[in-house]
Amino acid sequence: MRYDPATGLSQLFRPLPKTKTRPTLDVVYRPAQGGMTLRFSAREALGMPEQTLLLVLLELAQEQYAQVARDVVVIDRRATGIGQDLWRAMHDGQAAVEGETLHIRTSWYELAGRCGSHGGRSQQLREEQLRRLCEVVVWEKANDALNSVRQSRLVTLWHGNDVRLHLAVNCRLAGAVMGGLYAQVSMRERQDLATDTAQAVHAFLSTTLRAGRSLKVGVETLMQRLWDASGVIPQGTLRARRKAVRDSLVALGRLPGWGVAWPRVEVAEITRRAVRARQQPGTIGNAKPEAAVLEDTPQAVSTAMVERFDATRFMQRVVDSPSPGTIDNADMDDGQRGDAENPCQDKALSLL
């Protein structure tokens, strides 16, 4: 499934404590070397179930985009009918905004099958998750002379009942599906991970690592990535988080597409193996893909089947950060990437 890299590298989705009330959502993703700044805001923060639902919607969008003609699926400012309604809801009534997105047709039953849960309570939870996704406002601020700003919704639901749902996703997410810059996230792998922390680690590393690449990362770095480190955090909470991250990396290493070694106690070396899926693209429905085939060498994988985005080259320590090991997105040259083809020459930069 194709995922927008900036959304994947942001902290839009995090493991949340099981409490009655959620914190508000106010997340900013700002590339260190300039470019589009994203800000996500909503009444409630988003957890891993919301990310699962969004990934399912993107999976459906990709399948339907491959299956149905472009002029039927794509919505833009010239759309009519439900497409136009979705577009205007996405942009708060603005019909003349440039861009395009995808009209996703599905049902609650299909979403339940893909999310892996049926039943009355599950249906209620899924409705709440979709509501939270639809409440997220995305602010895009360009790094240009005018500091241009664009506002839209993350997800829009215009019409839905027990039989059919009509939705659209943000133009950035749709762009990744339609061939723009994207990272590859496996829903099959995600469903094999039992905890929120493991799914969060998997989604982040799937955005960060391209098939055939390796990365060394510290447990503390992943903790800072997954949870808010501000304020005083009890030692017991830190120990629980540290254990959850270690257990998640162990679980990740059991997946056929990943390898995890421990050169040091608190440092994992993670490898993403090249995978060639046997399923033909464009299959709509609840059919699961056939078992993937692991390739011994990245060169054996078709360029059309691997993700185009590789965040390894954007990873380095932040020199002036109060928290060592923070992940930054500054560009690095080929000698600093730390992969098998270009081993890292600076040991301080090879550990995140």
Side-chain angles (χ1 to χ4, degrees), residues 185-321:
V185 181
S186 169
M187 289 299 295
R188 172 180 282 274
E189 290 179 347
R190 184 182 179 90
Q191 290 173 351
D192 288 337
L193 298 171
T195 67
D196 284 357
T197 304
Q199 291 182 355
V201 169
H202 173 263
F204 171 62
L205 291 175
S206 295
T207 309
T208 303
L209 276 176
R210 195 165 79 180
R213 301 296 179 91
S214 297
L215 175 72
K216 289 183 180 179
V217 60
V219 171
E220 294 291 332
T221 299
L222 288 175
M223 288 171 58
Q224 295 169 22
R225 168 76 199 179
L226 300 181
W227 292 285
D228 184 5
S230 62
V232 178
I233 304 174
Q235 288 300 312
T237 300
L238 291 175
R239 285 193 296 270
R241 290 178 178 178
R242 192 172 292 110
K243 182 179 185 303
V245 170
R246 285 200 210 97
D247 291 346
S248 298
L249 290 171
V250 171
L252 185 72
R254 296 193 187 106
L255 299 176
W258 297 83
V260 178
W262 296 88
R264 299 212 306 266
V265 175
E266 294 297 316
V267 176
E269 183 172 4
I270 303 162
T271 301
R272 189 175 190 185
R273 302 189 181 109
V275 177
R276 175 170 53 85
R278 289 174 178 164
Q279 184 188 22
Q280 296 298 319
T283 302
I284 298 178
N286 294 324
K288 291 186 177 297
E290 298 180 19
V293 176
L294 295 182
E295 300 284 2
D296 293 331
T297 57
Q299 291 79 3
V301 182
S302 167
T303 56
M305 303 187 71
V306 298
E307 62 277 21
R308 301 181 183 179
F309 181 76
D310 179 17
T312 308
R313 65 187 296 271
F314 297 107
M315 311 294 286
Q316 68 176 20
R317 287 183 182 273
V318 180
V319 178
D320 59 351
S321 171

